Amino acid sequence: MLWKKNSSRRPGLRAMTSDLRTRLLLMLVLPLCVLALVGVWLDYRSADEAAGQHDQRLVRLLPALADSVLAPPIHDNDPPLLLLAPPIEDFLRQNAGFAAYSVRDTSGRLLLGEDWVHSGVPTTQAPEFHSVEFGGVTYRVAAQRGRTGAGELVVALADGSDPRQKWAQQLLLRVLLPNLVLLVAAGFAIHWAVRQAFKPLVGLAEAVERRSPRDLSPIDEAASPDEVRPLVHSLNRLFALVNAQAEGQRRFVADAAHQLRTPLAGLQAQVEAWAMMAKAAAPPRASFPDFDRKMPLAHEDRAQGAIVLGVDQIEKLRNATRRTSQLAHQLLALSRADARSLDAQPPQRVDLKDLCESLLENFLDAATGKGLDLGLDVQLVHVTGHGWLLRELLSNLVDNAIKYTPPGGVVTIRCGLRQGRLGPPRPYMEVEDDGPGVPESERTRVLQRFYRVPGAGGEGTGLGLAIADEIARVHRAALTLGTGPQGRGLVVAVVFPL
């Protein structure tokens, strides 16, 4: 079964690496194609510039060819008298086999030179250029109409060494074919190189796939290739974060189970004691079922099986029940304060003044019953966040203050704007009491889950400040612990970002 599972994953891995190879191949080959086209264009421009120079040379030689016609023919059917000028002789000698000339009258009739060196009769005296194919060679022909010793004639020069014509003929063999071979060879070389380069990555992917979901041990970076070592380092960091998160969840579950065990054990002990008392106080029953159905028990008989509970026992049962209920409520609030579970819940505009006033009403009876002065000092201020979470945060702070402040003490709820050292004022809310406070050395630890200051009174669970700190971090706020203005008590402040 394991082999089938791994083999089913292999096609996906191969498809991924093949797609990456294809993309890299295209990314490398396409620039080569662009460079090849640029090379062709530059080669053509170079040939075009050289051809332009040849055209200018032919233009400069045309007047010398016209001057070579010295006189009209002696007889009607004879050609004009021609004596080639030295520049024309040099041109024909240097390009023997690839140069020719012709002299025609204004009607296009050939008088001197080669008949294949032809062109249309120019209508102006400006030189004209065109190409003529002869003997498998493409010639550049320059023709001009002008005055000669035999009258107005048309002279033409043909040059078969024009680099632009040669470039056009040899384009396939000299440019396109070599570039095509180069691109194909480069494609194969790049494909092989990319495949070799991807082998470490494929091996790492297969090693990760073979791992168990519970195996979060780090991968040996020293044994990994240099190419994938940064990726291995990032994977090890991710494994460490996931392992730490899983360990935190396991520790939280263990701590929650331990904390729930204490009140539930006390509650069970009380109930077991009362059950034993009830069993011991119950009178023995006669084994006469018919008689029992016919004769009802007297009132005093029923009273003998009753249990009378003292006030202290009732208080123990109530305290254990309340503690269990509060702990379950705090555990639920702590799980809801997880930032990942709030991604789907859009934040809202929360009125801190209204929130503080509503919590004052909720805790007023508890504070009055303990003899505390619960006060309010609020200003109108709004923040963006989750209202039910902020209510839970402030509720935990007020509950802690009432729980640990001795009778006759003062608890104050505040909210408003506070000027910081830098920047504009920021929204805040705080709870101040004049109870025993928290030593400065313990202020970091009391924000941990299930931690209580040694020797602290009351029956707290050590979750109130941890929940408040978790909710503050969800809202990107800063929760700080300080000492009251009289040097005693505790001030818990939550300062929100702008």
Side-chain angles (χ1 to χ4, degrees):
M1 180 63 69
L2 180 62
W3 180 84
K4 290 183 179 180
K5 182 178 181 181
N6 289 337
S7 63
S8 64
R9 292 182 179 179
R10 297 277 302 186
L13 180 61
R14 290 174 179 172
M16 179 191 69
T17 55
S18 177
D19 181 62
L20 288 175
R21 283 197 298 265
T22 303
R23 290 169 59 187
L24 287 175
L25 185 62
L26 291 177
M27 292 173 64
L28 294 173
V29 169
L30 288 180
L32 290 178
C33 295
V34 174
L35 291 176
L37 293 177
V38 171
V40 171
W41 180 77
L42 292 176
D43 194 8
Y44 177 78
R45 286 296 303 270
S46 177
D48 188 61
E49 291 178 0
Q53 295 177 2
H54 279 70
D55 288 348
Q56 295 299 323
R57 181 186 180 188
L58 293 177
V59 169
R60 289 192 299 269
L61 291 175
L62 286 177
L65 179 60
D67 293 339
S68 297
V69 182
L70 301 178
I74 299 175
H75 302 286
D76 293 339
N77 295 327
D78 293 338
L81 181 62
L82 177 68
L83 179 61
L84 293 177
I88 301 299
E89 289 184 348
D90 293 339
F91 171 73
L92 295 175
R93 184 175 61 255
Q94 293 173 0
N95 299 281
F98 293 97
Y101 71 94
S102 68
V103 178
R104 299 175 185 271
D105 59 16
T106 56
S107 63
R109 183 172 62 89
L110 179 66
L111 300 178
L112 295 168
E114 303 291 340
D115 183 60
W116 58 268
V117 184
H118 61 83
S119 66
V121 178
T123 58
T124 64
Q125 293 186 353
E128 297 181 0
F129 297 90
H130 63 279
S131 298
V132 173
E133 187 78 22
F134 180 76
V137 179
T138 302
Y139 291 85
R140 184 71 168 173
V141 177
Q144 188 175 23
R145 181 172 182 169
R147 303 293 300 179
T148 66
E152 187 173 9
L153 299 175
V154 178
V155 295
L157 278 174
D159 183 11
S161 63
D162 187 351
R164 181 169 45 199
Q165 305 295 338
K166 292 183 178 180
W167 182 90
Q169 292 176 351
Q170 300 177 1
L171 175 63
L172 179 61
L173 295 178
R174 294 183 54 185
V175 179
L176 294 182
L177 187 58
N179 285 333
L180 181 60
V181 173
L182 177 63
L183 287 177
V184 173
F188 280 108
I190 293 172
H191 184 273
W192 179 84
V194 170
R195 184 175 182 180
Q196 293 298 117
F198 266 93
K199 278 188 176 180
L201 182 60
V202 173
L204 177 62
E206 292 177 349
V208 173
E209 280 188 357
R210 289 193 297 266
R211 281 189 165 220
S212 169
R214 294 186 178 89
D215 184 8
L216 297 177
S217 59
I219 303 173
D220 187 7
E221 295 186 23
S224 303
D226 295 338
E227 296 85 351
V228 297
R229 194 163 294 175
L231 177 61
V232 173
H233 179 74
S234 300
L235 285 175
N236 287 338
R237 181 175 177 272
L238 177 62
F239 289 161
L241 293 175
V242 174
N243 193 25
Q245 183 181 15
E247 182 63 27
Q249 292 178 351
R250 289 193 294 268
R251 186 170 59 252
F252 174 76
V253 172
D255 292 343
H258 176 74
Q259 293 293 328
L260 283 173
R261 187 184 298 121
T262 301
L264 289 178
L267 182 61
Q268 183 179 4
Q270 291 291 333
V271 175
E272 291 289 344
W274 296 333
M276 294 178 63
M277 292 172 60
K279 185 176 181 180
R285 299 294 303 273
S287 55
F288 300 100
D290 295 337
F291 177 78
D292 290 339
R293 286 195 296 267
K294 293 178 181 179
M295 298 297 295
L297 295 174
H299 175 73
E300 55 272 14
D301 293 335
R302 291 196 305 268
Q304 290 179 359
I307 300 176
V308 179
L309 299 179
V311 176
D312 57 340
Q313 294 174 322
I314 296 297
E315 285 296 327
K316 290 180 181 180
L317 178 60
R318 185 177 64 177
N319 291 338
T321 305
R322 287 180 175 178
R323 185 179 176 188
T324 304
S325 176
Q326 182 185 13
L327 181 58
H329 176 75
Q330 288 180 326
L331 290 175
L332 180 61
L334 192 60
S335 64
R336 289 179 176 177
D338 188 356
R340 293 170 300 171
S341 63
L342 299 176
D343 294 339
Q345 304 179 23
Q348 299 175 347
R349 185 178 174 87
V350 181
D351 187 348
L352 295 185
K353 179 175 179 293
D354 181 67
L355 178 62
C356 293
E357 291 174 349
S358 64
L359 282 177
L360 175 69
E361 296 178 0
N362 294 343
F363 286 93
L364 188 59
D365 292 340
T368 304
K370 195 174 180 180
L372 301 178
D373 181 9
L374 183 60
L376 194 65
D377 180 11
V378 294
Q379 301 175 1
L380 182 62
V381 63
H382 296 84
V383 297
T384 301
H386 304 276
W388 59 277
L389 273 182
L390 294 178
R391 172 178 289 274
E392 186 67 30
L393 184 155
L394 189 59
S395 176
N396 279 276
L397 298 182
V398 176
D399 181 70
N400 271 2
I402 294 176
K403 184 181 299 180
Y404 293 103
T405 302
V410 178
V411 177
T412 306
I413 306 174
R414 296 189 181 94
C415 73
L417 291 174
R418 172 172 295 174
Q419 181 66 48
R421 295 181 181 178
L422 299 174
R426 298 168 63 182
Y428 82 97
M429 63 180 179
E430 70 178 18
V431 176
E432 177 186 340
D433 63 68
D434 57 356
V438 177
E440 188 173 355
S441 59
E442 298 284 341
R443 289 177 184 174
T444 302
R445 302 188 64 184
V446 295
L447 298 180
Q448 299 176 2
R449 300 173 181 179
F450 302 111
Y451 179 81
R452 300 188 66 207
V453 177
E459 296 183 351
T461 60
L463 280 176
L465 290 178
I467 293 174
D469 183 58
E470 186 76 21
I471 296 175
R473 285 192 285 109
V474 167
H475 290 81
R476 299 192 303 277
L479 185 143
T480 58
L481 305 181
T483 307
Q486 303 300 327
R488 56 175 298 182
L490 180 67
V491 178
V492 184
V494 181
V495 182
F496 295 88
L498 293 176

